[in-house]
């Protein structure tokens, strides 16, 4: 059991009210962690701190023992590009590009040649069961299809951690389930850890562990079960 990503006593305030108030969490390699909790409790802020997008006011984030919170910006963005994948509530696909080009984009940014990048992108579209939209632009596909394309894009670089913030929040329950199943299944196949913020009640069947964020702190719901 290898500790991959650790947050240790994170504090973060926006103005007078704290968003994080001593939040700690540890994520193992390949582990799928569901993060739940009421609106405004600090879930997104925690995810952004873990991903090196937001710098906490105090506390530490460590990835493979390296202190993310102390890294210069350039190193942090390289870490995000190479080791992390992201899926948000609305896929944030580039509207001018086709779905295939969207999935290939992270590889192109790492200077992979177009043919090779698009070939790998197509394999991911297959895994996410959306090859039929490869040539379409995001504006021409359904919400569920768009999210599956976004998941493919998040996984195409073989990241070690996927950060997903309510990836099914804008979908009906049937499409939500499908995205959730394909996301977690694909992550498991590529041994990626997942930090999954969700309100889905049935998330337990997809995750290894559930935590709840309340008032800026993390409580492990399944700690006892894990020993
Ligand atoms: N950029 C920001 N500027 C000001 N306040 C913020 C900002 N981001 C978050 N907050 C505040 O920090 C607290 C935690 O917000 P956060 O977005 O982390 O909650 P959340 O648990 O993700 O909520 P939700 O379930 O609604 O997405 C809230 O009180 C929120 O208003
Ligand atoms: Mg949020």
């Amino acid at each position: 059991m290898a500790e991959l990503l650790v947050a240790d006593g994170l504090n973060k305030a926006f103005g007078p009210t704290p968003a994080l108030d001593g939040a700690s969490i540890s994520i193992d390699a390949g582990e799928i962690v569901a993060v739940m909790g009421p609106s405004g409790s600090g879930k997104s802020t925690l995810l952004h701190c873990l991903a090196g997008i937001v710098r906490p006011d105090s506390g530490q984030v460590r990835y493979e023992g390296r202190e993310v919170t102390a890294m210069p910006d350039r190193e942090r963005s390289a870490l995000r590009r190479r080791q992390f994948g992201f899926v948000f509530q609305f896929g944030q696909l580039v509207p001018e590009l086709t779905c295939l080009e969207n999935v290939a984009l992270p590889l192109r940014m790492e200077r992979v040649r177009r043919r090779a990048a698009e070939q790998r992108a197509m394999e991911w579209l297959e895994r996410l069961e959306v090859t039929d939209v490869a040539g379409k632009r995001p504006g021409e596909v359904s919400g569920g299809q768009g999210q599956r394309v976004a998941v493919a894009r998040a996984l195409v670089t073989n990241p070690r951690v996927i950060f997903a913030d309510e990836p099914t929040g804008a979908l009906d329950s049937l499409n939500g389930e499908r995205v959730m199943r394909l996301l977690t299944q694909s992550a498991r196949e590529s041994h990626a850890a997942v930090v999954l913020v969700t309100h889905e009640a049935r998330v337990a069947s997809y995750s290894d562990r559930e935590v709840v964020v309340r008032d800026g702190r993390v409580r492990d719901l399944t700690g006892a079960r894990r020993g």
Side-chain angles (χ1 to χ4, degrees):
M1 186 174 76
E3 224 174 39
L4 184 67
L5 183 62
V6 179
D8 204 354
L10 300 186
N11 294 296
K12 176 74 189 176
F14 299 98
T17 43
L20 295 179
D21 184 17
S24 299
I25 188 171
S26 166
I27 291 139
D28 291 344
E31 188 182 32
I32 299 182
V33 180
V35 179
M36 289 173 294
S39 180
S41 59
K43 303 181 297 295
S44 295
T45 308
L46 174 65
L47 184 140
H48 293 153
C49 286
L50 281 168
I53 296 167
V54 164
R55 209 187 275 271
D57 299 330
S58 62
Q60 263 192 6
V61 175
R62 293 187 300 274
Y63 176 77
E64 289 188 316
R66 289 151 67 207
E67 198 184 328
V68 177
T69 28
M71 281 178 194
D73 286 349
R74 260 181 53 143
E75 201 179 331
R76 264 190 310 142
S77 39
L79 176 75
R80 280 201 300 272
R81 251 191 347 267
R82 301 202 177 117
Q83 312 281 334
F84 298 164
F86 296 89
V87 190
F88 297 103
Q89 183 167 352
F90 301 99
Q92 298 182 333
L93 300 168
V94 181
E96 292 81 8
L97 300 180
T98 66
C99 289
L100 182 69
E101 288 165 346
N102 264 282
V103 177
L105 188 61
L107 296 173
R108 298 287 289 149
M109 282 163 67
E110 291 295 312
R111 298 168 192 275
V112 177
R113 286 178 186 279
R114 179 182 295 274
R115 265 181 70 107
E118 294 194 346
Q119 195 176 332
R120 266 164 71 186
M122 192 53 109
E123 288 165 14
W124 278 102
L125 289 178
E126 261 162 46
R127 252 175 259 191
L128 275 299
E129 303 171 359
V130 271
T131 47
D132 45 330
V133 302
K136 293 188 175 179
R137 289 177 213 290
E140 304 164 335
V141 308
S142 75
Q145 288 168 334
Q147 284 306 76
R148 281 182 277 141
V149 171
V151 171
R153 187 184 56 178
L155 281 153
V156 77
T157 52
N158 265 319
R160 304 324 311 146
V161 188
I162 305 287
F163 294 96
D165 197 347
E166 302 192 42
T168 63
L171 305 178
D172 62 58
S173 60
L174 204 66
N175 277 300
E177 287 265 338
R178 192 173 180 194
V179 169
M180 197 71 92
R181 174 174 59 77
L182 290 166
L183 163 64
T184 50
Q185 187 178 304
S186 308
R188 285 200 199 283
E189 281 165 14
S190 44
H191 309 288
V194 182
V195 182
L196 174 63
V197 174
T198 181
H199 288 110
E200 298 277 323
R202 279 193 281 190
V203 70
S205 54
Y206 300 103
S207 63
D208 299 315
R209 184 157 63 104
E210 292 164 63
V211 301
V212 171
V213 179
R214 196 157 281 142
D215 301 327
R217 287 167 174 270
V218 184
R219 205 157 57 93
D220 201 322
L221 284 187
T222 41
R225 200 165 75 205
R226 280 161 52 90

